């Protein structure tokens, strides 16, 4: 999946997260800010990396502002932002588990 | 015992915090809303949130319902794909005016179920009736599909269609009777409208008392604070439970003595009385006894 434009998804509210995506050359760069980074940083990174791998994203700048979201919310917000950034109309639900 | 559906809690599909916590309130069913509660620009993210929430273990032990957008909009079919793929129990179809609306939904459901490996027919349906024509067609709608578990009246659009407004219930009198009779004639559940003023507890309880006496299975709710109030109102009283126990006892004694019909305090105890007593005891087991 190729990121072709800037996109946002999510909110800054508690239990949610905001994902900002921008096209970039070179490697995929992911920046994570989280209120619970000390307790759950590894888990959050795992969910984020798994999601990008499943959607075959290799390039782009991703900034994540987490406010204590559950894994399922993280996945949903990332995927929404990616679909917006890639301008994808057709959704392959199989890759979004 | 059939599935208890007293309370159906609405959750805005775009609200991550509510999707992450609502299961703790234990309504009988949770309804994820992708329609009116979601702004147009957030339809895609709400759909994605609901898709993931439905698959989370926290929602595996509770009946899940998704209110999709009408199939005539660009969102309806995408909502359906996401909800069925994620394993939703029931699809709530808004603005159901005729049986054709249900037939159209059925066609899409069968295709999506086949595509995603779900048993064809396993996704159930609830029709929301929100117009005068929907109320007129309630019987045909209620009988239109074996997938239907119930029909619900939705007040806001209905009163607008009737050129009136929400008040003391007079404005819903015919619609409630029509929807309820249609549901009973078809052997499915009937759900009443939401009570939108969360701070008017007395008004909510008056309406709950009315719809319980009419025979509605339950009500759509917009706030978790309304769940306990509703469940308590639907619980039988101690006197009703004691009487039901005496009826069952008398019936069992009659059976032991080979009598078809027995009496209790001078009143005949026959099959309908025994059935009603069993319903009261089942409801007490599920709801407790009214405080």
């Amino acid at each position: 999946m190729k990121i072709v434009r800037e996109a946002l998804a999510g909110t800054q509210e508690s239990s949610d997260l905001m994902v900002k995506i921008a096209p970039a050359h070179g490697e995929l760069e992911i920046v994570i800010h989280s209120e619970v980074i000390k307790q759950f940083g590894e888990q959050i990174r795992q969910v984020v990396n798994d999601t990008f791998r499943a959607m075959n994203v290799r390039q782009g700048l991703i900034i994540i502002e987490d406010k204590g979201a559950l894994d399922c919310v993280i996945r949903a917000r990332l995927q929404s932002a990616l679909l917006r950034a890639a301008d994808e109309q057709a959704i392959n639900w199989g890759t979004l588990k | 015992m059939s599935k208890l559906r007293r309370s159906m809690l609405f959750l805005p599909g775009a609200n991550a915090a509510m999707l992450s916590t609502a299961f703790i309130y234990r309504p009988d069913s949770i309804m994820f809303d992708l329609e009116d509660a979601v702004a147009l620009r957030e339809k895609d993210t709400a759909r994605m949130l609901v898709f993931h929430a439905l698959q989370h273990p926290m929602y595996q032990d509770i009946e899940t319902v998704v209110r999709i957008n009408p199939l005539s909009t660009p969102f309806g079919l995408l909502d359906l794909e996401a909800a069925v793929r994620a394993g939703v129990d029931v699809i709530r179809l808004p603005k159901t005016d005729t049986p054709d609306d249900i037939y159209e939904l059925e066609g899409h459901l069968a295709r999506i179920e086949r595509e995603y490996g779900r048993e064809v027919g396993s996704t159930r349906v609830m029709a929301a009736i929100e117009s005068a024509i929907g109320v007129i067609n309630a019987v045909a709608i209620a009988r239109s599909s074996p997938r239907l578990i119930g029909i619900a009246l939705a007040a806001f659009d209905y009163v607008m269609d009737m050129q009136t407004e929400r008040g003391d219930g007079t404005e819903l009198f015919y619609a409630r009777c029509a929807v309820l009779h249609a549901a009973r004639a078809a052997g499915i559940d009937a759900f009443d409208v939401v009570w939108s003023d969360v701070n008017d507890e007395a008004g909510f309880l008056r309406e709950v008392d009315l719809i319980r006496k009419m025979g509605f299975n339950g009500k759509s709710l917009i706030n978790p604070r309304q769940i306990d109030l509703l469940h308590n109102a639907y619980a039988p009283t101690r006197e009703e439970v004691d009487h039901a126990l005496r009826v069952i006892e008398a019936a069992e004694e009659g059976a032991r003595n080979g009598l078809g019909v027995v009496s209790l305090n001078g009143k005949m105890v026959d099959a309908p009385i025994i059935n009603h007593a069993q319903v009261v005891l089942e409801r007490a087991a599920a709801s407790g006894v009214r405080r």
Side-chain angles (χ1 to χ4, degrees):
Chain A
M1 181 173 282
K2 191 168 168 34
I3 294 166
V4 296
R5 63 181 177 87
E6 292 186 7
L8 280 177
T11 72
Q12 303 264 19
E13 289 172 20
S14 180
S15 302
D16 202 348
L17 78 161
M18 175 76 87
V19 182
K20 301 172 188 171
I21 295 186
H25 295 293
E27 289 188 349
L28 183 65
E29 187 181 351
I30 302 172
V31 181
I32 301 175
H33 302 289
S34 174
E35 291 177 346
V36 291
I37 199 84
K38 280 186 185 162
Q39 302 97 309
F40 299 109
E42 203 167 314
Q43 170 74 7
I44 296 168
R45 270 186 214 98
Q46 176 87 44
V47 173
V48 171
N49 290 336
D50 287 352
T51 304
F52 284 118
R53 200 174 303 120
M55 294 181 79
N56 200 22
V57 178
R58 294 163 194 272
Q59 285 185 325
L61 171 63
I62 322 290
I63 299 172
I64 296 166
E65 306 277 349
D66 173 48
K67 301 285 182 184
L70 295 179
D71 290 0
C72 63
V73 174
I74 297 174
R75 237 174 258 125
R77 292 310 197 191
L78 287 173
Q79 290 167 354
S80 296
L82 279 172
L83 289 169
R84 286 175 171 182
D87 235 353
E88 288 276 337
Q89 301 302 319
I91 296 177
N92 180 358
W93 294 106
T95 63
L96 304 180
K97 280 177 193 168
Chain B
M1 187 176 169
S2 60
K3 163 87 179 99
L4 201 63
R5 294 192 183 93
R6 299 157 299 178
S7 54
M8 197 164 288
L9 181 67
F10 266 102
L11 282 187
N15 189 319
M18 288 182 77
L19 292 183
S20 303
T21 57
F23 63 96
I24 64 171
Y25 300 110
R26 309 306 303 168
D28 293 329
S29 310
I30 286 200
M31 179 155 31
F32 301 93
D33 186 16
L34 295 175
E35 197 210 10
D36 288 347
V38 178
L40 282 179
R41 67 176 184 284
E42 294 301 327
K43 294 288 188 189
D44 59 338
T45 62
R47 185 183 305 121
M48 198 65 80
L49 275 174
V50 169
F51 173 75
H52 284 287
L54 282 169
Q55 296 174 84
H56 197 280
M58 61 196 175
Y59 286 112
Q60 298 312 302
D61 297 330
I62 191 162
E63 183 174 68
T64 53
V65 183
V66 171
R67 179 165 78 166
I68 62 169
N69 286 279
L71 292 169
S72 56
T73 69
F75 316 113
L77 203 48
L78 290 170
D79 296 344
L80 203 57
E81 295 252 356
V84 174
R85 170 90 198 194
V88 71
D89 296 313
V90 180
I91 294 292
R92 175 164 164 146
L93 185 67
K95 300 176 175 61
T96 310
D97 288 337
T98 70
D100 287 343
D101 297 330
I102 300 292
Y103 301 148
E104 183 190 6
L105 176 65
E106 275 191 311
H108 290 303
L109 279 174
R111 174 186 59 77
I112 297 168
E113 285 169 340
R114 270 194 295 272
E115 218 171 297
Y116 294 148
R118 279 189 66 170
E119 185 190 338
V120 173
S122 60
T123 313
R124 313 306 297 276
V125 171
M126 181 195 315
I129 291 180
E130 313 187 28
S131 67
I133 188 70
V135 170
I136 297 294
N137 289 328
V139 173
I141 291 168
R143 289 176 164 174
S144 63
S145 167
R147 290 180 185 265
L148 276 165
I149 55 114
I151 51 175
L153 182 62
F156 185 72
D157 286 35
Y158 173 74
V159 295
M160 285 204 302
D161 195 32
M162 295 302 292
Q163 300 176 22
T164 181
E165 56 193 32
R166 282 291 272 128
D168 63 0
T170 309
E171 72 286 354
L172 297 177
F173 180 69
Y174 177 75
R176 277 181 168 144
C177 294
V179 164
L180 186 56
H181 277 78
R184 292 294 171 256
I188 60 176
D189 291 348
F191 305 97
D192 190 49
V193 303
V194 298
W195 178 264
S196 54
D197 185 351
V198 178
N199 294 321
D200 183 4
E201 205 172 277
F204 174 73
L205 287 172
R206 268 197 306 277
E207 186 163 270
V208 169
D209 188 51
L210 171 73
I211 60 129
R212 183 181 59 83
K213 285 173 178 165
M214 286 183 79
F216 277 92
N217 295 78
K219 196 166 176 60
S220 305
L221 305 177
I222 52 159
N223 192 296
R225 278 162 54 192
Q226 297 173 324
I227 296 171
D228 275 353
L229 295 172
L230 178 68
H231 287 185
N232 188 45
Y234 264 77
T237 62
R238 169 57 57 198
E239 290 73 29
E240 287 170 327
V241 172
D242 288 345
H243 180 71
L245 287 170
R246 285 196 295 273
V247 166
I248 299 295
E249 210 171 278
E252 285 172 355
E253 192 183 336
R256 276 196 299 274
N257 296 332
L259 300 170
V261 177
V262 292
S263 72
L264 179 66
N265 301 330
K267 290 180 183 166
M268 187 173 72
V269 173
D270 57 5
I273 302 287
I274 295 166
N275 288 344
H276 177 70
Q278 282 163 342
V279 169
V280 168
L281 294 180
E282 283 171 356
R283 198 171 269 182
S287 313
V289 177
R290 202 179 311 167
R291 290 191 286 270

